[in-house]
Amino acid sequence: MMINSELGHVKTLEEFYTSIREQQETAHGDDYCAMHEAIVKYFKEGNCKTYMELGTHQGGTAACAMRMNPKKVILVDISMQKYNKFLRPIAAEYCSNNNIELVIKETDSTGLGAIDACDMLMIDSVHKAHHMSKELMIHAPNTTKYIVAHDTCRPTSELHNCLEQFCMDNPRWKVVERNTNNVGFTVLGKT
């Protein structure tokens, strides 16, 4: 279970990002946030303009994506309470100052209200294969370049296996990176 970081002292997006990452990796171990490097790498390589996240929680990964100044950031969570507590005012100001369209959707990631178009989709919501399968069926058709998923090797490889099966069923997608350090992550690329 991910910790809830204490972020009442932060004033800027950079401070928020540095602090939440440090607290998460202190609590959960080195490489817990390794998917952040993958997000930055593939966002740049793919010349991505839009980022969508399923499972925002406090917003550490969202802050990582915002720092790349995309044209649009879409955040989806069944409850935005933890996001609203610290990141909401910081993100709103940062996005306004950097001409980023920020869309917040407080809804189930498998509902029609969650659907939007994006270049990169980050999945870090309900860590169950049946739920991820639904998310992939709903969101992959609206994702043009990459899908990044967190927690794909711990406590089991259930989520990675779900992604592998998705690629077998949808040959336009393939696994482009699998990281098994800490809780791991998997990146799918559209061909």
Side-chain angles (χ1 to χ4, degrees), residues 110 126-137 158-159 162:
T110 61
V126 179
H127 295 82
K128 301 287 181 195
H130 65 87
H131 190 85
M132 180 181 274
S133 291
K134 288 181 195 173
E135 290 173 326
L136 290 166
M137 294 310 296
E158 174 188 18
L159 296 181
C162 175

Side-chain angles (χ1 to χ4, degrees), residues 136-147:
L136 290 166
M137 294 310 296
I138 290 167
H139 297 287
N142 303 306
T143 304
T144 61
K145 298 180 180 179
Y146 297 103
I147 298 173

Side-chain angles (χ1 to χ4, degrees), residues 21-190:
R21 183 165 182 170
E22 180 180 288
Q23 289 181 56
Q24 286 180 351
E25 291 196 333
T26 297
H28 301 295
D30 291 344
D31 296 322
Y32 180 77
C33 297
M35 80 286 190
H36 293 197
E37 277 77 32
I39 289 169
V40 171
K41 173 186 174 184
Y42 292 104
F43 205 89
K44 288 178 180 175
E45 280 183 16
N47 194 27
C48 297
K49 304 290 185 217
T50 53
Y51 172 85
M52 183 170 177
E53 183 170 294
L54 308 179
T56 302
H57 194 67
Q58 286 186 286
T61 310
C64 172
M66 287 176 198
R67 294 166 64 234
M68 292 182 291
N69 294 332
K71 292 187 181 301
K72 185 175 182 179
V73 172
I74 306 124
L75 305 178
V76 179
D77 204 303
I78 194 79
S79 171
M80 284 293 182
Q81 183 178 358
K82 290 180 171 101
Y83 166 84
N84 290 339
K85 186 172 182 181
F86 299 115
L87 185 54
R88 182 180 180 190
I90 293 168
E93 180 180 4
Y94 183 88
C95 289
S96 176
N97 291 342
N98 290 281
N99 297 315
I100 301 168
E101 181 183 354
L102 179 59
V103 178
I104 307 297
K105 297 184 177 201
E106 190 168 31
T107 188
D108 184 314
S109 61
T110 61
L112 294 177
I115 296 173
D116 213 323
C118 63
D119 294 327
M120 177 179 281
L121 175 69
M122 169 66 180
I123 301 177
D124 194 11
S125 56
V126 179
H127 295 82
K128 301 287 181 195
H130 65 87
H131 190 85
M132 180 181 274
S133 291
K134 288 181 195 173
E135 290 173 326
L136 290 166
M137 294 310 296
I138 290 167
H139 297 287
N142 303 306
T143 304
T144 61
K145 298 180 180 179
Y146 297 103
I147 298 173
V148 181
H150 193 218
D151 299 307
T152 58
C153 77
R154 281 195 201 166
T156 70
S157 292
E158 174 188 18
L159 296 181
H160 177 77
N161 295 342
C162 175
L163 293 162
E164 289 274 6
Q165 184 62 52
F166 173 77
C167 290
M168 286 194 297
D169 296 340
N170 298 274
R172 291 196 63 209
W173 288 96
K174 66 178 182 178
V175 174
V176 294
E177 184 174 349
R178 180 178 188 200
N179 180 300
T180 58
N181 295 330
N182 200 306
V183 295
F185 67 83
T186 301
V187 181
L188 304 185
K190 198 169 196 176

